[in-house]
Amino acid sequence: DEVDKIDRFYEFLSRAANRVDEGFHYTNDGIDEFGDSMRPPAQCYKDLVEGSLKDDCDGFHSALYYIMSQKALHAPVYMASIGSRDGKRGHAILVGVDPLGGWFAQDYRATLNIVAFNQEELIKELQTHYATRGYGEDAHVQLYTYDKKKGFRVKK
């Protein structure tokens, strides 16, 4: 039934985030490293499994992206970057659509259920959420998909 399906999905998401957290060693890099020098999700996952995932938020969520993007889940996921307009703060998270069509955001081990009916509403909700965390009410939010041949690309 639908309730069981959604419960299983969020339980899996929580377990996956906890698993990444267990093997993750936070290491700073610059905001400029999100798009052009972020390692592929499969590499971040491989590092995680081997016990050597040393990265910041984008590496954590890239490994989680790899886990959650597996076809068996049938739920689209995206990397999202959140940046303050002055360029002083940047963050990466995982966002996606659950099996019942609801949006969610995963910020390390915290799951945010987002009330949004499309990508534009999702972005507004994320701007509101991260405004209270020092990114400003007009934070730049961008969604990305990953292609093995082309790397991370802006979601249209």
Side-chain angles (χ1 to χ4, degrees), residues 27-72:
T27 306
N28 272 329
D29 65 20
I31 189 171
D32 60 318
E33 294 186 64
F34 178 80
D36 53 26
S37 54
M38 188 171 112
R39 294 173 304 123
Q43 181 64 52
C44 292
Y45 180 75
K46 180 178 184 285
D47 290 352
L48 173 72
V49 170
E50 294 175 351
S52 61
L53 179 56
K54 296 177 181 169
D55 210 320
D56 66 358
C57 55
D58 50 61
F60 180 101
H61 294 96
S62 185
L64 188 58
Y65 177 98
Y66 180 82
I67 295 167
M68 296 304 296
S69 65
Q70 300 308 301
K71 300 289 186 224

Short mmCIF file of all heavy atoms in Angstrom, two decimals, residues 27-72:
data_model
loop_
_atom_site.label_atom_id
_atom_site.label_comp_id
_atom_site.label_asym_id
_atom_site.label_seq_id
_atom_site.Cartn_x
_atom_site.Cartn_y
_atom_site.Cartn_z
N THR A 27 36.26 17.27 5.19
CA THR A 27 37.47 17.98 4.81
C THR A 27 37.04 19.19 3.99
O THR A 27 36.32 19.04 3.00
CB THR A 27 38.38 17.08 3.96
OG1 THR A 27 38.61 15.87 4.66
CG2 THR A 27 39.70 17.76 3.66
N ASN A 28 37.46 20.38 4.38
CA ASN A 28 37.07 21.61 3.67
C ASN A 28 37.62 21.67 2.25
O ASN A 28 38.73 21.23 1.98
CB ASN A 28 37.61 22.84 4.41
CG ASN A 28 36.67 23.33 5.47
OD1 ASN A 28 35.46 23.20 5.36
ND2 ASN A 28 37.23 23.89 6.52
N ASP A 29 36.81 22.25 1.36
CA ASP A 29 37.32 22.74 0.08
C ASP A 29 36.58 24.03 -0.21
O ASP A 29 35.75 24.46 0.59
CB ASP A 29 37.21 21.70 -1.04
CG ASP A 29 35.79 21.31 -1.43
OD1 ASP A 29 34.84 22.05 -1.14
OD2 ASP A 29 35.64 20.27 -2.06
N GLY A 30 36.89 24.67 -1.31
CA GLY A 30 36.29 25.97 -1.61
C GLY A 30 34.96 25.87 -2.31
O GLY A 30 34.65 24.85 -2.93
N ILE A 31 34.17 26.94 -2.26
CA ILE A 31 32.87 26.97 -2.93
C ILE A 31 33.03 26.78 -4.44
O ILE A 31 32.18 26.22 -5.11
CB ILE A 31 32.10 28.27 -2.62
CG1 ILE A 31 30.67 28.17 -3.13
CG2 ILE A 31 32.80 29.48 -3.18
CD1 ILE A 31 29.78 29.30 -2.70
N ASP A 32 34.16 27.21 -4.99
CA ASP A 32 34.41 27.08 -6.42
C ASP A 32 34.57 25.62 -6.85
O ASP A 32 34.57 25.32 -8.04
CB ASP A 32 35.65 27.87 -6.82
CG ASP A 32 36.89 27.38 -6.08
OD1 ASP A 32 36.80 27.11 -4.87
OD2 ASP A 32 37.94 27.28 -6.73
N GLU A 33 34.67 24.70 -5.94
CA GLU A 33 34.89 23.31 -6.30
C GLU A 33 33.60 22.53 -6.53
O GLU A 33 33.66 21.38 -6.92
CB GLU A 33 35.72 22.62 -5.21
CG GLU A 33 37.13 23.19 -5.13
CD GLU A 33 38.00 22.43 -4.17
OE1 GLU A 33 38.25 21.24 -4.45
OE2 GLU A 33 38.40 23.01 -3.17
N PHE A 34 32.42 23.12 -6.31
CA PHE A 34 31.19 22.34 -6.47
C PHE A 34 31.03 21.81 -7.89
O PHE A 34 30.93 20.62 -8.11
CB PHE A 34 29.93 23.13 -6.10
CG PHE A 34 28.69 22.29 -6.33
CD1 PHE A 34 28.31 21.34 -5.42
CD2 PHE A 34 27.95 22.42 -7.48
CE1 PHE A 34 27.21 20.53 -5.63
CE2 PHE A 34 26.84 21.62 -7.71
CZ PHE A 34 26.48 20.68 -6.78
N GLY A 35 31.00 22.69 -8.88
CA GLY A 35 30.66 22.25 -10.22
C GLY A 35 31.81 21.69 -11.02
O GLY A 35 31.65 20.71 -11.73
N ASP A 36 33.00 22.28 -10.92
CA ASP A 36 34.03 21.89 -11.85
C ASP A 36 35.07 20.93 -11.30
O ASP A 36 35.82 20.35 -12.05
CB ASP A 36 34.72 23.11 -12.45
CG ASP A 36 35.21 24.07 -11.38
OD1 ASP A 36 35.48 23.64 -10.26
OD2 ASP A 36 35.32 25.26 -11.68
N SER A 37 35.13 20.73 -10.01
CA SER A 37 36.12 19.78 -9.51
C SER A 37 35.54 18.78 -8.53
O SER A 37 36.27 18.09 -7.85
CB SER A 37 37.32 20.50 -8.91
OG SER A 37 36.91 21.41 -7.93
N MET A 38 34.24 18.68 -8.50
CA MET A 38 33.60 17.68 -7.65
C MET A 38 33.76 16.32 -8.31
O MET A 38 33.59 16.18 -9.52
CB MET A 38 32.12 17.99 -7.48
CG MET A 38 31.47 17.11 -6.46
SD MET A 38 29.83 17.68 -6.10
CE MET A 38 28.92 16.34 -6.80
N ARG A 39 34.07 15.36 -7.50
CA ARG A 39 34.27 14.01 -8.03
C ARG A 39 32.93 13.35 -8.36
O ARG A 39 31.92 13.67 -7.76
CB ARG A 39 35.06 13.19 -7.02
CG ARG A 39 36.46 13.74 -6.86
CD ARG A 39 37.26 13.08 -5.74
NE ARG A 39 36.56 13.18 -4.47
CZ ARG A 39 36.22 12.13 -3.73
NH1 ARG A 39 36.54 10.91 -4.08
NH2 ARG A 39 35.59 12.30 -2.59
N PRO A 40 32.94 12.44 -9.31
CA PRO A 40 31.70 11.75 -9.69
C PRO A 40 31.09 10.98 -8.53
O PRO A 40 31.80 10.49 -7.65
CB PRO A 40 32.17 10.78 -10.78
CG PRO A 40 33.44 11.35 -11.29
CD PRO A 40 34.10 12.03 -10.11
N PRO A 41 29.75 10.84 -8.53
CA PRO A 41 29.08 10.10 -7.47
C PRO A 41 29.63 8.69 -7.27
O PRO A 41 29.81 8.26 -6.13
CB PRO A 41 27.62 10.08 -7.92
CG PRO A 41 27.47 11.34 -8.71
CD PRO A 41 28.78 11.48 -9.44
N ALA A 42 29.90 7.98 -8.34
CA ALA A 42 30.42 6.61 -8.20
C ALA A 42 31.77 6.61 -7.49
O ALA A 42 32.06 5.71 -6.70
CB ALA A 42 30.52 5.93 -9.56
N GLN A 43 32.60 7.61 -7.75
CA GLN A 43 33.90 7.69 -7.08
C GLN A 43 33.73 7.99 -5.59
O GLN A 43 34.40 7.41 -4.75
CB GLN A 43 34.79 8.75 -7.72
CG GLN A 43 36.16 8.85 -7.08
CD GLN A 43 36.98 7.58 -7.26
OE1 GLN A 43 37.12 7.09 -8.37
NE2 GLN A 43 37.49 7.04 -6.17
N CYS A 44 32.82 8.91 -5.27
CA CYS A 44 32.56 9.21 -3.86
C CYS A 44 32.03 7.99 -3.14
O CYS A 44 32.43 7.69 -2.01
CB CYS A 44 31.59 10.38 -3.74
SG CYS A 44 32.28 11.95 -4.28
N TYR A 45 31.15 7.24 -3.80
CA TYR A 45 30.62 6.02 -3.20
C TYR A 45 31.72 4.98 -3.01
O TYR A 45 31.82 4.34 -1.96
CB TYR A 45 29.48 5.45 -4.05
CG TYR A 45 28.91 4.19 -3.47
CD1 TYR A 45 28.08 4.23 -2.36
CD2 TYR A 45 29.21 2.95 -4.02
CE1 TYR A 45 27.56 3.07 -1.80
CE2 TYR A 45 28.70 1.78 -3.47
CZ TYR A 45 27.88 1.85 -2.37
OH TYR A 45 27.38 0.70 -1.81
N LYS A 46 32.57 4.82 -4.02
CA LYS A 46 33.69 3.88 -3.92
C LYS A 46 34.59 4.25 -2.75
O LYS A 46 35.00 3.39 -1.96
CB LYS A 46 34.48 3.87 -5.23
CG LYS A 46 35.67 2.93 -5.25
CD LYS A 46 36.35 2.99 -6.62
CE LYS A 46 37.49 2.00 -6.72
NZ LYS A 46 38.68 2.40 -6.00
N ASP A 47 34.91 5.55 -2.62
CA ASP A 47 35.72 6.00 -1.49
C ASP A 47 35.03 5.69 -0.17
O ASP A 47 35.68 5.28 0.79
CB ASP A 47 36.00 7.50 -1.59
CG ASP A 47 36.96 7.86 -2.72
OD1 ASP A 47 37.53 6.94 -3.34
OD2 ASP A 47 37.11 9.06 -2.99
N LEU A 48 33.73 5.87 -0.12
CA LEU A 48 32.96 5.58 1.09
C LEU A 48 33.11 4.11 1.47
O LEU A 48 33.42 3.77 2.61
CB LEU A 48 31.48 5.93 0.89
CG LEU A 48 30.53 5.51 2.01
CD1 LEU A 48 30.74 6.39 3.23
CD2 LEU A 48 29.09 5.57 1.52
N VAL A 49 32.88 3.23 0.50
CA VAL A 49 32.94 1.80 0.75
C VAL A 49 34.35 1.38 1.19
O VAL A 49 34.51 0.51 2.03
CB VAL A 49 32.49 1.02 -0.52
CG1 VAL A 49 32.76 -0.47 -0.40
CG2 VAL A 49 31.02 1.28 -0.79
N GLU A 50 35.36 2.05 0.64
CA GLU A 50 36.75 1.74 0.99
C GLU A 50 37.20 2.44 2.26
O GLU A 50 38.34 2.27 2.69
CB GLU A 50 37.66 2.10 -0.17
CG GLU A 50 37.43 1.23 -1.39
CD GLU A 50 38.23 1.64 -2.61
OE1 GLU A 50 38.87 2.73 -2.58
OE2 GLU A 50 38.22 0.89 -3.60
N GLY A 51 36.32 3.25 2.86
CA GLY A 51 36.64 3.92 4.12
C GLY A 51 37.48 5.17 3.98
O GLY A 51 38.12 5.60 4.94
N SER A 52 37.46 5.78 2.80
CA SER A 52 38.31 6.96 2.59
C SER A 52 37.58 8.14 1.96
O SER A 52 38.16 8.89 1.19
CB SER A 52 39.51 6.58 1.72
OG SER A 52 39.07 6.12 0.45
N LEU A 53 36.30 8.32 2.29
CA LEU A 53 35.56 9.47 1.76
C LEU A 53 35.90 10.71 2.58
O LEU A 53 35.37 10.93 3.66
CB LEU A 53 34.04 9.22 1.77
CG LEU A 53 33.17 10.37 1.25
CD1 LEU A 53 33.58 10.78 -0.17
CD2 LEU A 53 31.70 10.00 1.28
N LYS A 54 36.85 11.47 2.07
CA LYS A 54 37.29 12.71 2.71
C LYS A 54 36.89 13.85 1.79
O LYS A 54 37.45 14.01 0.71
CB LYS A 54 38.80 12.69 2.93
CG LYS A 54 39.22 11.61 3.89
CD LYS A 54 40.71 11.53 4.05
CE LYS A 54 41.04 10.39 5.01
NZ LYS A 54 42.45 10.08 5.03
N ASP A 55 35.91 14.61 2.20
CA ASP A 55 35.36 15.67 1.36
C ASP A 55 34.53 16.57 2.24
O ASP A 55 34.50 16.42 3.46
CB ASP A 55 34.51 15.03 0.25
CG ASP A 55 34.49 15.85 -1.03
OD1 ASP A 55 34.42 17.10 -0.95
OD2 ASP A 55 34.52 15.25 -2.12
N ASP A 56 33.83 17.52 1.60
CA ASP A 56 32.89 18.34 2.35
C ASP A 56 31.47 17.97 1.91
O ASP A 56 31.24 16.84 1.49
CB ASP A 56 33.21 19.84 2.21
CG ASP A 56 33.04 20.36 0.79
OD1 ASP A 56 32.70 19.58 -0.11
OD2 ASP A 56 33.24 21.57 0.59
N CYS A 57 30.55 18.91 2.00
CA CYS A 57 29.14 18.60 1.76
C CYS A 57 28.88 18.01 0.37
O CYS A 57 28.04 17.13 0.23
CB CYS A 57 28.28 19.84 1.98
SG CYS A 57 28.78 21.29 1.02
N ASP A 58 29.62 18.48 -0.64
CA ASP A 58 29.32 17.96 -1.98
C ASP A 58 29.74 16.50 -2.12
O ASP A 58 29.07 15.73 -2.78
CB ASP A 58 29.90 18.83 -3.09
CG ASP A 58 31.35 19.18 -2.91
OD1 ASP A 58 32.20 18.27 -2.88
OD2 ASP A 58 31.65 20.39 -2.80
N GLY A 59 30.83 16.09 -1.50
CA GLY A 59 31.23 14.68 -1.54
C GLY A 59 30.27 13.78 -0.79
O GLY A 59 29.93 12.69 -1.24
N PHE A 60 29.83 14.24 0.39
CA PHE A 60 28.85 13.49 1.19
C PHE A 60 27.60 13.25 0.35
O PHE A 60 27.12 12.13 0.20
CB PHE A 60 28.50 14.27 2.46
CG PHE A 60 27.51 13.57 3.34
CD1 PHE A 60 27.94 12.89 4.47
CD2 PHE A 60 26.14 13.60 3.08
CE1 PHE A 60 27.03 12.24 5.32
CE2 PHE A 60 25.23 12.96 3.91
CZ PHE A 60 25.67 12.28 5.03
N HIS A 61 27.05 14.33 -0.19
CA HIS A 61 25.78 14.23 -0.91
C HIS A 61 25.94 13.58 -2.28
O HIS A 61 24.99 13.00 -2.80
CB HIS A 61 25.10 15.60 -0.96
CG HIS A 61 24.69 16.04 0.41
ND1 HIS A 61 25.48 16.87 1.17
CD2 HIS A 61 23.63 15.71 1.18
CE1 HIS A 61 24.90 17.05 2.36
NE2 HIS A 61 23.78 16.36 2.37
N SER A 62 27.14 13.63 -2.84
CA SER A 62 27.40 12.92 -4.09
C SER A 62 27.37 11.41 -3.86
O SER A 62 26.81 10.66 -4.66
CB SER A 62 28.75 13.36 -4.67
OG SER A 62 28.97 12.77 -5.92
N ALA A 63 27.96 10.95 -2.76
CA ALA A 63 27.89 9.52 -2.43
C ALA A 63 26.43 9.11 -2.19
O ALA A 63 25.99 8.05 -2.64
CB ALA A 63 28.74 9.22 -1.20
N LEU A 64 25.69 9.95 -1.49
CA LEU A 64 24.27 9.68 -1.25
C LEU A 64 23.48 9.70 -2.56
O LEU A 64 22.59 8.88 -2.77
CB LEU A 64 23.71 10.69 -0.24
CG LEU A 64 22.29 10.43 0.26
CD1 LEU A 64 22.16 9.06 0.92
CD2 LEU A 64 21.89 11.54 1.25
N TYR A 65 23.83 10.63 -3.45
CA TYR A 65 23.20 10.69 -4.78
C TYR A 65 23.37 9.35 -5.49
O TYR A 65 22.44 8.82 -6.09
CB TYR A 65 23.84 11.82 -5.58
CG TYR A 65 23.35 11.97 -7.00
CD1 TYR A 65 22.38 12.91 -7.31
CD2 TYR A 65 23.87 11.21 -8.04
CE1 TYR A 65 21.94 13.08 -8.62
CE2 TYR A 65 23.44 11.37 -9.34
CZ TYR A 65 22.48 12.30 -9.63
OH TYR A 65 22.05 12.46 -10.92
N TYR A 66 24.59 8.81 -5.42
CA TYR A 66 24.87 7.54 -6.08
C TYR A 66 23.94 6.44 -5.54
O TYR A 66 23.32 5.71 -6.31
CB TYR A 66 26.33 7.13 -5.89
CG TYR A 66 26.65 5.82 -6.56
CD1 TYR A 66 26.93 5.78 -7.92
CD2 TYR A 66 26.63 4.63 -5.85
CE1 TYR A 66 27.19 4.57 -8.55
CE2 TYR A 66 26.89 3.42 -6.47
CZ TYR A 66 27.17 3.40 -7.82
OH TYR A 66 27.41 2.21 -8.45
N ILE A 67 23.83 6.36 -4.23
CA ILE A 67 22.99 5.34 -3.62
C ILE A 67 21.53 5.53 -4.03
O ILE A 67 20.85 4.59 -4.46
CB ILE A 67 23.11 5.37 -2.08
CG1 ILE A 67 24.53 4.99 -1.65
CG2 ILE A 67 22.07 4.45 -1.43
CD1 ILE A 67 24.83 5.28 -0.19
N MET A 68 21.05 6.76 -3.92
CA MET A 68 19.63 7.03 -4.14
C MET A 68 19.25 7.07 -5.62
O MET A 68 18.07 7.02 -5.95
CB MET A 68 19.23 8.34 -3.46
CG MET A 68 19.36 8.33 -1.95
SD MET A 68 18.43 7.00 -1.12
CE MET A 68 16.74 7.46 -1.53
N SER A 69 20.21 7.15 -6.51
CA SER A 69 19.88 7.22 -7.94
C SER A 69 19.77 5.84 -8.58
O SER A 69 19.51 5.74 -9.78
CB SER A 69 20.93 8.04 -8.68
OG SER A 69 22.20 7.41 -8.64
N GLN A 70 19.94 4.80 -7.81
CA GLN A 70 19.83 3.45 -8.37
C GLN A 70 18.41 3.22 -8.87
O GLN A 70 17.45 3.60 -8.24
CB GLN A 70 20.25 2.40 -7.33
CG GLN A 70 21.68 2.58 -6.85
CD GLN A 70 22.69 2.68 -7.98
OE1 GLN A 70 22.82 1.77 -8.79
NE2 GLN A 70 23.39 3.80 -8.05
N LYS A 71 18.30 2.57 -9.98
CA LYS A 71 17.03 2.41 -10.69
C LYS A 71 15.94 1.72 -9.87
O LYS A 71 14.77 2.00 -10.04
CB LYS A 71 17.25 1.61 -11.98
CG LYS A 71 18.20 2.27 -12.94
CD LYS A 71 17.58 3.49 -13.56
CE LYS A 71 18.50 4.06 -14.63
NZ LYS A 71 18.64 5.47 -14.58
N ALA A 72 16.30 0.87 -8.95
CA ALA A 72 15.30 0.12 -8.19
C ALA A 72 14.41 1.03 -7.35
O ALA A 72 13.30 0.66 -7.00
CB ALA A 72 15.98 -0.90 -7.29
#
